[in-house]
Coordinates of all heavy atoms in Angstrom, one line a residue:
Chain A
R36 N 69.3 91.6 108.8 CA 68.9 90.7 109.9 C 69.3 89.3 109.6 O 69.2 88.9 108.4 CB 67.4 90.7 110.1 CG 66.9 89.8 111.2 CD 65.4 90.0 111.5 NE 64.5 89.6 110.5 CZ 63.2 89.6 110.6 NH1 62.6 90.0 111.7 NH2 62.5 89.2 109.6
Q37 N 69.9 88.6 110.5 CA 70.3 87.2 110.3 C 69.7 86.3 111.4 O 70.1 86.4 112.6 CB 71.8 87.1 110.4 CG 72.4 85.7 110.0 CD 73.9 85.7 110.1 OE1 74.5 86.4 110.8 NE2 74.5 84.8 109.2
S38 N 68.8 85.5 110.9 CA 68.2 84.5 111.9 C 69.2 83.3 112.0 O 70.1 83.1 111.2 CB 66.9 84.0 111.3 OG 66.0 85.1 111.2
L39 N 69.0 82.6 113.0 CA 70.0 81.5 113.4 C 70.2 80.6 112.2 O 69.3 80.0 111.6 CB 69.4 80.7 114.6 CG 70.4 79.6 115.2 CD1 71.6 80.3 115.7 CD2 69.7 78.8 116.2
G40 N 71.5 80.4 111.9 CA 71.9 79.5 110.8 C 71.5 79.9 109.4 O 71.6 79.1 108.5
Q41 N 71.1 81.2 109.2 CA 70.7 81.6 107.9 C 71.6 82.7 107.4 O 72.4 83.2 108.1 CB 69.2 82.2 108.0 CG 68.2 81.1 108.5 CD 68.1 80.0 107.5 OE1 67.9 80.2 106.3 NE2 68.1 78.8 108.0
G42 N 71.4 83.1 106.1 CA 72.1 84.2 105.5 C 71.4 85.5 106.0 O 70.5 85.5 106.8
L43 N 72.0 86.6 105.5 CA 71.5 87.9 105.9 C 70.3 88.3 105.1 O 70.2 88.0 103.9 CB 72.6 88.9 105.7 CG 73.6 89.0 106.9 CD1 74.5 87.8 106.9 CD2 74.4 90.3 106.7
E44 N 69.4 89.0 105.7 CA 68.2 89.5 105.1 C 68.2 91.0 105.1 O 68.3 91.6 106.2 CB 67.0 89.0 105.8 CG 65.6 89.5 105.4 CD 64.5 89.2 106.3 OE1 64.8 88.7 107.5 OE2 63.3 89.4 106.0
F45 N 68.2 91.6 103.9 CA 68.2 93.1 103.9 C 67.0 93.7 104.5 O 65.9 93.2 104.3 CB 68.3 93.5 102.4 CG 68.0 95.0 102.2 CD1 69.0 95.9 102.4 CD2 66.8 95.4 101.7 CE1 68.8 97.3 102.2 CE2 66.5 96.8 101.5 CZ 67.6 97.7 101.7
L46 N 67.2 94.8 105.3 CA 66.1 95.5 105.9 C 65.9 96.9 105.4 O 64.8 97.2 104.9 CB 66.3 95.6 107.4 CG 66.4 94.3 108.2 CD1 66.7 94.5 109.7 CD2 65.1 93.5 108.1
I47 N 66.9 97.7 105.4 CA 66.7 99.1 105.0 C 68.1 99.7 104.6 O 69.1 99.2 105.1 CB 66.1 99.9 106.2 CG1 65.7 101.3 105.8 CG2 67.0 100.0 107.4 CD1 64.9 102.1 106.8
Y48 N 68.0 100.7 103.8 CA 69.2 101.3 103.2 C 69.1 102.8 103.3 O 68.0 103.4 102.9 CB 69.4 100.8 101.8 CG 70.4 101.6 100.9 CD1 71.7 101.4 100.9 CD2 69.9 102.7 100.1 CE1 72.6 102.1 100.1 CE2 70.7 103.4 99.3 CZ 72.1 103.1 99.3 OH 72.9 103.8 98.5
F49 N 70.1 103.5 103.7 CA 70.2 105.0 103.7 C 71.3 105.4 102.8 O 72.4 104.8 102.9 CB 70.4 105.5 105.1 CG 69.4 105.3 106.1 CD1 69.4 104.1 106.9 CD2 68.3 106.2 106.3 CE1 68.4 103.9 107.8 CE2 67.3 105.9 107.2 CZ 67.4 104.8 108.0
Q50 N 71.1 106.4 102.0 CA 72.2 107.0 101.2 C 72.1 108.5 101.3 O 71.1 109.1 100.7 CB 72.1 106.5 99.8 CG 73.1 107.2 98.8 CD 74.5 107.1 99.3 OE1 75.0 107.9 100.2 NE2 75.3 106.2 98.6
G51 N 73.0 109.1 102.0 CA 73.0 110.6 102.0 C 71.7 111.1 102.5 O 71.1 110.6 103.5
N52 N 71.2 112.1 101.8 CA 69.9 112.8 102.1 C 68.7 112.2 101.4 O 67.6 112.7 101.5 CB 70.0 114.3 101.9 CG 71.0 114.9 102.8 OD1 71.2 114.6 103.9 ND2 71.8 115.9 102.2
S53 N 69.0 111.1 100.6 CA 67.9 110.5 99.8 C 66.9 109.8 100.7 O 67.3 109.4 101.8 CB 68.5 109.6 98.8 OG 69.4 110.2 97.9
A54 N 65.7 109.6 100.2 CA 64.7 108.8 101.0 C 65.2 107.4 101.1 O 65.7 106.8 100.2 CB 63.4 108.8 100.2
P55 N 65.1 106.8 102.3 CA 65.6 105.5 102.5 C 64.8 104.4 101.8 O 63.6 104.6 101.5 CB 65.5 105.3 104.0 CG 64.4 106.3 104.5 CD 64.5 107.4 103.6
D56 N 65.5 103.4 101.4 CA 64.8 102.2 100.9 C 64.4 101.3 102.0 O 65.2 100.6 102.6 CB 65.8 101.5 99.9 CG 65.2 100.2 99.3 OD1 64.1 99.8 99.7 OD2 65.9 99.6 98.5
K57 N 63.1 101.3 102.3 CA 62.6 100.5 103.4 C 62.0 99.2 102.9 O 61.2 98.6 103.7 CB 61.5 101.3 104.1 CG 61.9 102.7 104.6 CD 60.8 103.4 105.3 CE 61.2 104.8 105.7 NZ 60.1 105.5 106.4
S58 N 62.3 98.8 101.7 CA 61.6 97.7 101.1 C 61.8 96.3 101.9 O 61.0 95.4 101.7 CB 62.0 97.5 99.7 OG 63.4 97.2 99.6
G59 N 62.8 96.2 102.7 CA 63.1 95.0 103.4 C 62.5 94.9 104.8 O 62.6 93.8 105.4

Side-chain angles (χ1 to χ4, degrees):
Chain A
R36 177 171 71 173
Q37 185 179 29
S38 300
L39 184 64
Q41 299 296 313
L43 277 70
E44 173 191 13
F45 167 80
L46 296 178
I47 189 169
Y48 164 87
F49 295 90
Q50 171 57 282
N52 296 321
S53 302
D56 177 356
K57 303 179 182 180
S58 61

